[in-house]
Amino acid sequence: TQLLEQSPQFLSIQEGENLTVYCNSSSVFSSLQWYRQEPGEGPVLLVTVVTGGEVKKLKRLTFQFGDARKDSSLHITAAQPGDTGLYLCAGADSNYQLIWGAGTKLIIKP
Amino acid sequence: NAGVMQNPRHLVRRRGQEARLRCSPMKGHSHVYWYRQLPEEGLKFMVYLQKENIIDESGMPKERFSAEFPKEGPSILRIQQVVRGDSAAYFCASSFHTESTEAFFGQGTRLTVV
């Protein structure tokens, strides 16, 4: 059974601080996606990474796919209260089905 | 191009009743996924369907739960004889084709069993 472990499960920091969320597996994924979910809403796709070692930037968010395509990280610089939400990673397996992490609940305090 | 539409947004059912949750995928998308989410938790995969076919239902309980995605009309997740433990948010996602794993989600249906 493929597993995707996210850490930390919960993170509460002050506005302006930096943070990193990790998504790790022993399995290789053809691609990996990061989603953000706000309370009462469905997850919204932030980014897809496909190539090992790939780095993508989305304003203050930096996403990296591990060289072996088994892990990924999300780094947020100068976090803002608007970044608050549940961050989910999902890896696509060889059958193109998504394997989901349990999520990281992020709270940014003003 | 409308996004994934789910209805109803909120559904209250008494124990023993049936719940029917609907999902209209994005235009042109033929792949639908249903997920369940409990408060403060991540998504749990339930079932993956293509038009008129169930591809993977490994995450769906064998009893009381069923799903369909007919040739015409929305995908339906049906829960018979609901129990309190069925209370959760149920999300539907759609994608364009098998190799396109980017899933677009609806806003979910929040089922409350009283």
Side-chain angles (χ1 to χ4, degrees), chain B residues 18-61:
Chain B
E18 178 181 288
R20 290 171 68 89
L21 288 60
R22 295 175 186 77
C23 169
S24 295
M26 286 182 71
K27 187 176 181 180
H29 286 193
S30 59
H31 299 251
V32 166
Y33 309 80
W34 284 94
Y35 295 89
R36 172 184 153 120
Q37 186 177 39
L38 294 172
E40 309 297 318
E41 293 188 10
L43 298 172
K44 299 292 185 191
F45 167 78
M46 296 183 73
V47 62
Y48 164 39
L49 310 103
Q50 294 180 25
K51 281 286 187 182
E52 300 183 273
N53 291 304
I54 296 175
I55 306 302
D56 182 353
E57 56 183 347
S58 59
M60 196 161 66

Side-chain angles (χ1 to χ4, degrees), chain B residues 83-98:
Chain B
V83 300
R84 288 229 170 102
D86 296 332
S87 296
Y90 292 85
F91 288 97
C92 164
S94 73
S95 65
F96 180 57
H97 56 72
T98 300

